[in-house]
Amino acid sequence: MGIDILEELPSLRAGQKGFGHGHDIVGSRQIESDAPAGVYVHISGGGLCDLPGTTGEVTEGTGGVLLNLADRIANANELEYAADDYVQYLEEGVVVVITDQAVNDGDAAFVRFVAGGGEQLGAFRKDADTADAVALPGAFFVGTYSAGLAKVRLR
């Protein structure tokens, strides 16, 4: 008995990786802030990573997207990670990210480094949102999605 390819695929989950798009490169560090899976973090030195707060923390391209590990459950903060947790992040490959707008296949991936009410630092979008997000070098959306979750290719 085979799998019916017309059956609905499981829903996407922020921080989910894989999808058979080549080799994945994963890093591991301790995070400085509370954060959900599926957002971009930058390397902040001394074995640490954090949510971006400047354009340079995105454009330097030394971070990745926080992964949602199978054994990970939400902390008291309702997020997958609390400050000082050890995290894994995808540096290269395809991963599901949090988006705050609809995106199209091939759109450049921008990362939010300024967040107002209801916005998430490290979330992705397809434009600069005036001056609150900046393009992540070599990153683009893989597929067309509504706001919420989307696949991004990191290079």
Side-chain angles (χ1 to χ4, degrees):
M1 182 158 115
I3 297 174
D4 183 352
I5 61 171
L6 299 178
E7 286 182 30
E8 187 174 325
L9 295 174
S11 60
L12 297 178
R13 199 177 63 211
Q16 181 182 354
K17 72 176 184 78
F19 310 104
H21 290 280
H23 302 288
D24 293 336
I25 298 176
V26 177
S28 179
R29 299 215 173 223
Q30 190 174 12
I31 194 161
E32 295 184 78
S33 304
D34 294 353
V39 297
Y40 183 82
V41 293
H42 73 98
I43 305 306
S44 54
L48 303 174
C49 64
D50 203 4
L51 297 168
T54 67
T55 59
E57 291 171 348
V58 176
T59 59
E60 67 189 2
T62 61
V65 173
L66 286 180
L67 295 176
N68 191 335
L69 306 174
D71 63 347
R72 198 77 206 167
I73 57 170
N75 287 290
N77 62 16
E78 297 299 319
L79 302 174
E80 284 81 15
Y81 298 103
D84 299 324
D85 280 353
Y86 284 90
V87 301
Q88 289 186 348
Y89 53 90
L90 190 71
E91 297 174 351
E92 186 175 316
V94 176
V95 63
V96 177
V97 298
I98 294 173
T99 61
D100 56 18
Q101 69 179 161
V103 299
N104 297 306
D105 188 45
D107 283 344
F110 286 68
V111 173
R112 183 172 290 289
F113 64 90
V114 174
E119 297 172 334
Q120 172 64 54
L121 286 174
F124 286 73
R125 51 184 300 113
K126 64 179 178 183
D127 62 32
D129 191 26
T130 310
D132 293 348
V134 65
L136 179 62
F140 58 91
F141 290 98
V142 180
T144 298
Y145 302 90
S146 302
L149 299 175
K151 292 180 187 177
V152 163
R153 169 63 125 154
L154 304 173
R155 294 197 171 161

PDB file of all heavy atoms in Angstrom, residues 35-56:
ATOM      1  N   ALA A  35      12.259  34.051  22.358  1.00  0.00           N
ATOM      2  CA  ALA A  35      12.014  34.065  20.921  1.00  0.00           C
ATOM      3  C   ALA A  35      11.209  32.847  20.477  1.00  0.00           C
ATOM      4  O   ALA A  35      11.360  31.769  21.042  1.00  0.00           O
ATOM      5  CB  ALA A  35      13.334  34.102  20.159  1.00  0.00           C
ATOM      6  N   PRO A  36      10.393  33.036  19.432  1.00  0.00           N
ATOM      7  CA  PRO A  36       9.695  31.889  18.848  1.00  0.00           C
ATOM      8  C   PRO A  36      10.572  31.207  17.801  1.00  0.00           C
ATOM      9  O   PRO A  36      11.495  31.821  17.248  1.00  0.00           O
ATOM     10  CB  PRO A  36       8.484  32.543  18.170  1.00  0.00           C
ATOM     11  CG  PRO A  36       8.994  33.885  17.747  1.00  0.00           C
ATOM     12  CD  PRO A  36       9.965  34.306  18.837  1.00  0.00           C
ATOM     13  N   ALA A  37      10.292  29.972  17.499  1.00  0.00           N
ATOM     14  CA  ALA A  37      10.936  29.303  16.369  1.00  0.00           C
ATOM     15  C   ALA A  37      10.473  30.003  15.098  1.00  0.00           C
ATOM     16  O   ALA A  37       9.386  30.571  15.045  1.00  0.00           O
ATOM     17  CB  ALA A  37      10.548  27.834  16.338  1.00  0.00           C
ATOM     18  N   GLY A  38      11.332  29.975  14.056  1.00  0.00           N
ATOM     19  CA  GLY A  38      10.949  30.542  12.773  1.00  0.00           C
ATOM     20  C   GLY A  38      11.332  31.990  12.564  1.00  0.00           C
ATOM     21  O   GLY A  38      10.924  32.602  11.589  1.00  0.00           O
ATOM     22  N   VAL A  39      12.140  32.560  13.478  1.00  0.00           N
ATOM     23  CA  VAL A  39      12.630  33.931  13.300  1.00  0.00           C
ATOM     24  C   VAL A  39      14.140  33.907  13.114  1.00  0.00           C
ATOM     25  O   VAL A  39      14.820  32.962  13.498  1.00  0.00           O
ATOM     26  CB  VAL A  39      12.257  34.866  14.474  1.00  0.00           C
ATOM     27  CG1 VAL A  39      10.748  35.013  14.597  1.00  0.00           C
ATOM     28  CG2 VAL A  39      12.869  34.395  15.780  1.00  0.00           C
ATOM     29  N   TYR A  40      14.664  34.996  12.537  1.00  0.00           N
ATOM     30  CA  TYR A  40      16.098  35.128  12.305  1.00  0.00           C
ATOM     31  C   TYR A  40      16.799  35.570  13.583  1.00  0.00           C
ATOM     32  O   TYR A  40      16.313  36.450  14.297  1.00  0.00           O
ATOM     33  CB  TYR A  40      16.347  36.152  11.194  1.00  0.00           C
ATOM     34  CG  TYR A  40      17.810  36.294  10.840  1.00  0.00           C
ATOM     35  CD1 TYR A  40      18.417  35.395   9.978  1.00  0.00           C
ATOM     36  CD2 TYR A  40      18.588  37.315  11.377  1.00  0.00           C
ATOM     37  CE1 TYR A  40      19.763  35.505   9.660  1.00  0.00           C
ATOM     38  CE2 TYR A  40      19.924  37.439  11.057  1.00  0.00           C
ATOM     39  CZ  TYR A  40      20.506  36.539  10.202  1.00  0.00           C
ATOM     40  OH  TYR A  40      21.839  36.645   9.894  1.00  0.00           O
ATOM     41  N   VAL A  41      17.951  34.971  13.853  1.00  0.00           N
ATOM     42  CA  VAL A  41      18.820  35.416  14.943  1.00  0.00           C
ATOM     43  C   VAL A  41      20.212  35.657  14.374  1.00  0.00           C
ATOM     44  O   VAL A  41      20.612  35.030  13.403  1.00  0.00           O
ATOM     45  CB  VAL A  41      18.899  34.395  16.107  1.00  0.00           C
ATOM     46  CG1 VAL A  41      17.565  34.287  16.823  1.00  0.00           C
ATOM     47  CG2 VAL A  41      19.371  33.028  15.624  1.00  0.00           C
ATOM     48  N   HIS A  42      20.939  36.585  14.975  1.00  0.00           N
ATOM     49  CA  HIS A  42      22.311  36.869  14.552  1.00  0.00           C
ATOM     50  C   HIS A  42      23.275  36.394  15.628  1.00  0.00           C
ATOM     51  O   HIS A  42      22.896  36.242  16.793  1.00  0.00           O
ATOM     52  CB  HIS A  42      22.508  38.373  14.276  1.00  0.00           C
ATOM     53  CG  HIS A  42      22.543  39.192  15.528  1.00  0.00           C
ATOM     54  ND1 HIS A  42      23.712  39.592  16.116  1.00  0.00           N
ATOM     55  CD2 HIS A  42      21.553  39.666  16.315  1.00  0.00           C
ATOM     56  CE1 HIS A  42      23.447  40.279  17.217  1.00  0.00           C
ATOM     57  NE2 HIS A  42      22.149  40.341  17.355  1.00  0.00           N
ATOM     58  N   ILE A  43      24.506  36.152  15.238  1.00  0.00           N
ATOM     59  CA  ILE A  43      25.546  35.756  16.189  1.00  0.00           C
ATOM     60  C   ILE A  43      25.998  37.007  16.921  1.00  0.00           C
ATOM     61  O   ILE A  43      26.409  37.985  16.308  1.00  0.00           O
ATOM     62  CB  ILE A  43      26.749  35.103  15.465  1.00  0.00           C
ATOM     63  CG1 ILE A  43      26.274  33.924  14.610  1.00  0.00           C
ATOM     64  CG2 ILE A  43      27.827  34.693  16.455  1.00  0.00           C
ATOM     65  CD1 ILE A  43      25.478  32.887  15.328  1.00  0.00           C
ATOM     66  N   SER A  44      25.903  36.977  18.238  1.00  0.00           N
ATOM     67  CA  SER A  44      26.240  38.172  19.020  1.00  0.00           C
ATOM     68  C   SER A  44      27.551  38.032  19.782  1.00  0.00           C
ATOM     69  O   SER A  44      27.899  38.895  20.564  1.00  0.00           O
ATOM     70  CB  SER A  44      25.086  38.524  19.973  1.00  0.00           C
ATOM     71  OG  SER A  44      24.727  37.422  20.769  1.00  0.00           O
ATOM     72  N   GLY A  45      28.288  36.957  19.546  1.00  0.00           N
ATOM     73  CA  GLY A  45      29.604  36.780  20.162  1.00  0.00           C
ATOM     74  C   GLY A  45      29.563  35.939  21.422  1.00  0.00           C
ATOM     75  O   GLY A  45      28.520  35.783  22.055  1.00  0.00           O
ATOM     76  N   GLY A  46      30.704  35.391  21.793  1.00  0.00           N
ATOM     77  CA  GLY A  46      30.821  34.626  23.027  1.00  0.00           C
ATOM     78  C   GLY A  46      29.901  33.427  23.110  1.00  0.00           C
ATOM     79  O   GLY A  46      29.419  33.092  24.189  1.00  0.00           O
ATOM     80  N   GLY A  47      29.636  32.770  21.978  1.00  0.00           N
ATOM     81  CA  GLY A  47      28.764  31.605  21.992  1.00  0.00           C
ATOM     82  C   GLY A  47      27.295  31.942  22.119  1.00  0.00           C
ATOM     83  O   GLY A  47      26.482  31.087  22.438  1.00  0.00           O
ATOM     84  N   LEU A  48      26.936  33.212  21.852  1.00  0.00           N
ATOM     85  CA  LEU A  48      25.555  33.668  22.013  1.00  0.00           C
ATOM     86  C   LEU A  48      24.949  34.074  20.674  1.00  0.00           C
ATOM     87  O   LEU A  48      25.650  34.394  19.720  1.00  0.00           O
ATOM     88  CB  LEU A  48      25.504  34.863  22.962  1.00  0.00           C
ATOM     89  CG  LEU A  48      26.076  34.655  24.361  1.00  0.00           C
ATOM     90  CD1 LEU A  48      26.095  35.971  25.125  1.00  0.00           C
ATOM     91  CD2 LEU A  48      25.280  33.608  25.114  1.00  0.00           C
ATOM     92  N   CYS A  49      23.611  34.091  20.621  1.00  0.00           N
ATOM     93  CA  CYS A  49      22.874  34.651  19.494  1.00  0.00           C
ATOM     94  C   CYS A  49      21.705  35.443  20.056  1.00  0.00           C
ATOM     95  O   CYS A  49      21.351  35.297  21.224  1.00  0.00           O
ATOM     96  CB  CYS A  49      22.392  33.560  18.546  1.00  0.00           C
ATOM     97  SG  CYS A  49      21.202  32.402  19.244  1.00  0.00           S
ATOM     98  N   ASP A  50      21.114  36.314  19.205  1.00  0.00           N
ATOM     99  CA  ASP A  50      20.010  37.145  19.673  1.00  0.00           C
ATOM    100  C   ASP A  50      19.170  37.611  18.496  1.00  0.00           C
ATOM    101  O   ASP A  50      19.591  37.515  17.338  1.00  0.00           O
ATOM    102  CB  ASP A  50      20.532  38.357  20.445  1.00  0.00           C
ATOM    103  CG  ASP A  50      19.511  38.943  21.409  1.00  0.00           C
ATOM    104  OD1 ASP A  50      18.407  38.369  21.559  1.00  0.00           O
ATOM    105  OD2 ASP A  50      19.808  39.977  22.022  1.00  0.00           O
ATOM    106  N   LEU A  51      18.000  38.152  18.789  1.00  0.00           N
ATOM    107  CA  LEU A  51      17.155  38.750  17.768  1.00  0.00           C
ATOM    108  C   LEU A  51      17.838  40.002  17.241  1.00  0.00           C
ATOM    109  O   LEU A  51      18.518  40.707  17.996  1.00  0.00           O
ATOM    110  CB  LEU A  51      15.789  39.102  18.356  1.00  0.00           C
ATOM    111  CG  LEU A  51      14.967  37.911  18.849  1.00  0.00           C
ATOM    112  CD1 LEU A  51      13.781  38.376  19.666  1.00  0.00           C
ATOM    113  CD2 LEU A  51      14.519  37.056  17.678  1.00  0.00           C
ATOM    114  N   PRO A  52      17.678  40.321  15.956  1.00  0.00           N
ATOM    115  CA  PRO A  52      18.356  41.491  15.394  1.00  0.00           C
ATOM    116  C   PRO A  52      17.738  42.807  15.876  1.00  0.00           C
ATOM    117  O   PRO A  52      16.529  42.899  16.048  1.00  0.00           O
ATOM    118  CB  PRO A  52      18.158  41.323  13.888  1.00  0.00           C
ATOM    119  CG  PRO A  52      16.916  40.512  13.757  1.00  0.00           C
ATOM    120  CD  PRO A  52      16.885  39.598  14.949  1.00  0.00           C
ATOM    121  N   GLY A  53      18.607  43.804  16.084  1.00  0.00           N
ATOM    122  CA  GLY A  53      18.151  45.124  16.490  1.00  0.00           C
ATOM    123  C   GLY A  53      18.715  46.238  15.619  1.00  0.00           C
ATOM    124  O   GLY A  53      18.401  47.399  15.821  1.00  0.00           O
ATOM    125  N   THR A  54      19.555  45.877  14.628  1.00  0.00           N
ATOM    126  CA  THR A  54      20.128  46.843  13.694  1.00  0.00           C
ATOM    127  C   THR A  54      20.172  46.217  12.303  1.00  0.00           C
ATOM    128  O   THR A  54      20.106  44.997  12.170  1.00  0.00           O
ATOM    129  CB  THR A  54      21.566  47.245  14.083  1.00  0.00           C
ATOM    130  OG1 THR A  54      22.429  46.105  13.922  1.00  0.00           O
ATOM    131  CG2 THR A  54      21.647  47.749  15.523  1.00  0.00           C
ATOM    132  N   THR A  55      20.342  47.049  11.278  1.00  0.00           N
ATOM    133  CA  THR A  55      20.454  46.518   9.917  1.00  0.00           C
ATOM    134  C   THR A  55      21.672  45.615   9.794  1.00  0.00           C
ATOM    135  O   THR A  55      21.605  44.566   9.166  1.00  0.00           O
ATOM    136  CB  THR A  55      20.548  47.644   8.868  1.00  0.00           C
ATOM    137  OG1 THR A  55      21.676  48.454   9.160  1.00  0.00           O
ATOM    138  CG2 THR A  55      19.305  48.488   8.859  1.00  0.00           C
ATOM    139  N   GLY A  56      22.789  46.022  10.392  1.00  0.00           N
ATOM    140  CA  GLY A  56      24.021  45.252  10.291  1.00  0.00           C
ATOM    141  C   GLY A  56      23.911  43.854  10.868  1.00  0.00           C
ATOM    142  O   GLY A  56      24.582  42.933  10.393  1.00  0.00           O
TER     143      GLY A  56
END
